[in-house]
Amino acid sequence: MSRILVAATPVSGHHAPLLRIASHLAQAGHEVVFLGGARFAEEVRAAGPEFRALPAEADYDDRDFSARFPERETIPAGPAQIMWDIMHVFGDPTAAQCRALKDVLADFPATAVIHDNLFLGGLTLALAEEKGHRPTGFSVGITPLSVESRDTAPHGLGLLPPADDAQREQYAAIAARMAEMREPLVDHLRACFAAAGATLPEGPLGRNLIGAADVFVQLTVEGFEYARSDMPANVRFVGAIPIPAAAGQEQPAWWPELLRAREEGRRIVVTTQGTLANTDLARLVIPTVRVLADRPDVLVVAATGRPDAADQFAAALPAVPGNAIVAGFVPFSALLPLADVLVTNGGYGGTQAALGHGVPLVLGGDTEDKPEVAARVEWTGTGVNLRTAAPSDEALRAAVDTVLDSPSYRERATALAKEYAAHDALATIDALVRASDR
């Protein structure tokens, strides 16, 4: 068995898949230490691995981003905010992350370090020393693959792959302008890497950040990602990590209502804004409930993930419609198999989970990687891309109707679900780690 150090950026969408990997490896008999955000300490210990906390310079509470990153609120959503996030949310902690990894490795000589793809301290560790003199580095892609390629559009804009040579030339011009705009970002990351004792290689940033790892594990299937004739050799598609059923978790009180609706032949529409961009439910969740309020053939389940959901609904609607359930915690592993469509802002993990169950989507998001997720859903034919985080009521209702009434979306999602089912992401990662330790 191996000694494995797993590290995660202290953001729920990054922490959760890395903890599931760490827990699986611990249960498989490996000795595992998990380096992560302090607020997750008890959750990590309950899952099996030993916990070590990130230093304060690299730790924060993602439930209140404005407390740690007040300037972020002034940056408009889209490419500008993505660039700011990479510089400051993910770039600035790099040196502190690298020091923390080295501190753990000093008394826990792991043979493998596994981290999410935006835990950049893990990449500096890999770049600073030759392979054979350090642990094998595994970077886990929990966001859409960002490898630059002539076969894809410039990353971050939510554009579909080029249809012909003319569009390739158009995209090349856009990429050149974006590269110029991103020079401050690259310079900033060079300084962050240098502070950690590593050199960020010259060349395309996305390709370098992926290529720095010995193995880049992408948490999806090939059918959900754009084909690239120049795909880096270290990329492995392993499928999605399933959302586990909570042990001993009781079903919510409204569950019988959901089952009755299903038995009556009503369609189940689930809506969520994920775990990070869910501060203002009036962007997508509340509008979904509102525009479907007159549909007796539909039951809407609003999976808010927020303790103040009732207050937000009370401020926006006279009353919760009779065909809607407003919930905080929702057992997605049990809910998704009953869903006919998921209306979401497009978090990567949630989208993978939906497609793994063959559930088509309606997506409306403009923060982080959400435009890229939505573009891939559009490209695969598994849902409707609203191309905005604040759709009109008419556009939102039309999109839901389109997915519910057009069998092709469910058919494409079902076909993709079969591809997900052919993979066992956790077992594959375990096998890759064991192979690297030989």
Side-chain angles (χ1 to χ4, degrees):
M1 297 301 172
S2 302
R3 284 185 168 182
I4 304 166
L5 172 55
V6 179
T9 303
V11 175
S12 295
H14 298 234
H15 163 85
L18 270 295
L19 179 56
R20 289 200 284 277
I21 292 170
S23 177
H24 176 85
L25 293 172
Q27 292 170 16
H30 300 287
E31 192 174 351
V32 182
V33 169
F34 189 96
L35 176 65
R39 81 174 181 94
F40 299 112
E42 291 308 311
E43 180 186 3
V44 172
R45 294 188 181 108
E50 178 186 340
F51 176 76
R52 305 282 183 95
L54 285 165
E57 312 96 284
D59 198 7
Y60 46 84
D61 191 332
D62 65 319
R63 294 168 298 184
D64 187 8
F65 251 43
S66 61
R68 179 63 176 265
F69 307 106
E71 185 183 343
R72 187 176 188 269
E73 302 297 316
T74 68
I75 310 298
Q81 191 178 82
I82 292 172
M83 188 165 80
W84 194 94
D85 284 351
I86 295 173
M87 292 171 69
H88 302 294
V89 177
F90 302 110
D92 288 348
T94 300
Q97 290 173 347
C98 188
R99 288 195 301 272
L101 289 170
K102 290 179 177 178
D103 287 346
V104 175
L105 291 170
D107 63 68
F108 181 75
T111 57
V113 173
I114 304 174
H115 56 86
D116 68 84
N117 60 304
L118 287 168
F119 191 97
L120 301 183
L123 298 181
T124 62
L125 195 70
L127 289 168
E129 294 187 50
E130 292 290 330
K131 190 176 179 181
H133 298 279
R134 57 166 174 78
T136 301
F138 292 82
S139 184
V140 180
I142 54 91
T143 59
L145 196 64
S146 61
V147 175
E148 297 90 346
S149 171
R150 72 182 300 273
D151 302 321
T152 63
H155 188 76
L157 300 178
L159 298 173
L160 299 180
D164 50 37
D165 287 341
Q167 196 167 46
R168 282 190 178 87
E169 291 181 11
Q170 178 187 8
Y171 282 173
I174 294 172
R177 291 196 297 271
M178 289 179 65
E180 186 175 341
M181 291 171 56
R182 286 175 175 168
E183 286 179 2
L185 162 63
V186 175
D187 290 344
H188 189 89
L189 289 186
R190 288 196 192 287
C192 293
F193 274 54
T199 300
L200 181 66
E202 297 290 336
L205 180 61
R207 187 166 287 271
N208 284 331
L209 294 181
I210 286 170
D214 296 308
V215 182
F216 190 90
V217 178
Q218 186 66 31
L219 295 183
T220 191
V221 294
E222 288 188 67
F224 186 71
E225 185 53 68
Y226 304 137
R228 295 168 173 82
S229 57
D230 51 358
M231 184 74 76
N234 66 330
V235 174
R236 302 286 185 274
F237 291 94
V238 300
I241 295 177
I243 298 175
Q249 180 68 49
E250 294 184 3
Q251 291 177 337
W254 47 264
W255 200 258
E257 182 182 353
L258 171 66
L259 296 180
R260 281 195 303 273
R262 194 67 178 168
E263 291 171 0
E264 293 166 358
R266 297 163 68 189
R267 265 100 60 96
I268 309 301
V269 176
V270 178
T271 181
T272 181
Q273 289 178 207
T275 58
L276 184 58
N278 70 347
T279 305
D280 183 7
L281 299 176
R283 301 204 79 189
L284 191 61
V285 169
I286 291 174
T288 301
V289 171
R290 183 178 62 242
V291 303
L292 297 174
D294 62 344
R295 294 284 298 273
D297 63 319
V298 165
L299 177 69
V300 183
V301 179
T304 68
R306 294 195 60 82
D308 64 348
D311 293 337
Q312 289 202 40
F313 269 83
L317 297 174
V320 174
N323 71 336
I325 295 169
V326 177
F329 165 78
V330 176
F332 265 86
S333 58
L335 177 60
L336 284 174
L338 302 175
D340 291 286
V341 61
L342 176 64
V343 181
T344 173
N345 55 358
Y348 193 69
T351 299
Q352 301 300 305
L355 292 174
H357 286 91
V359 180
L361 302 109
V362 171
L363 293 102
D366 61 3
T367 58
E368 299 91 38
D369 58 353
K370 292 174 175 61
E372 287 292 333
V373 175
R376 283 158 174 77
V377 167
E378 179 182 353
W379 176 73
T380 56
T382 55
V384 172
N385 180 2
L386 291 166
R387 299 182 178 275
T388 176
S392 67
D393 285 3
E394 294 77 12
L396 179 56
R397 181 174 180 127
V400 174
D401 285 345
T402 296
V403 174
L404 288 176
D405 297 338
S406 302
S408 65
Y409 293 103
R410 171 66 76 167
E411 290 168 359
R412 295 297 295 275
T414 300
L416 206 52
K418 292 178 181 177
E419 189 176 351
Y420 283 98
H423 289 74
D424 185 333
L426 295 173
T428 301
I429 293 170
D430 187 358
L432 289 169
V433 169
R434 290 173 190 268
S436 73
D437 199 20
R438 291 173 188 157

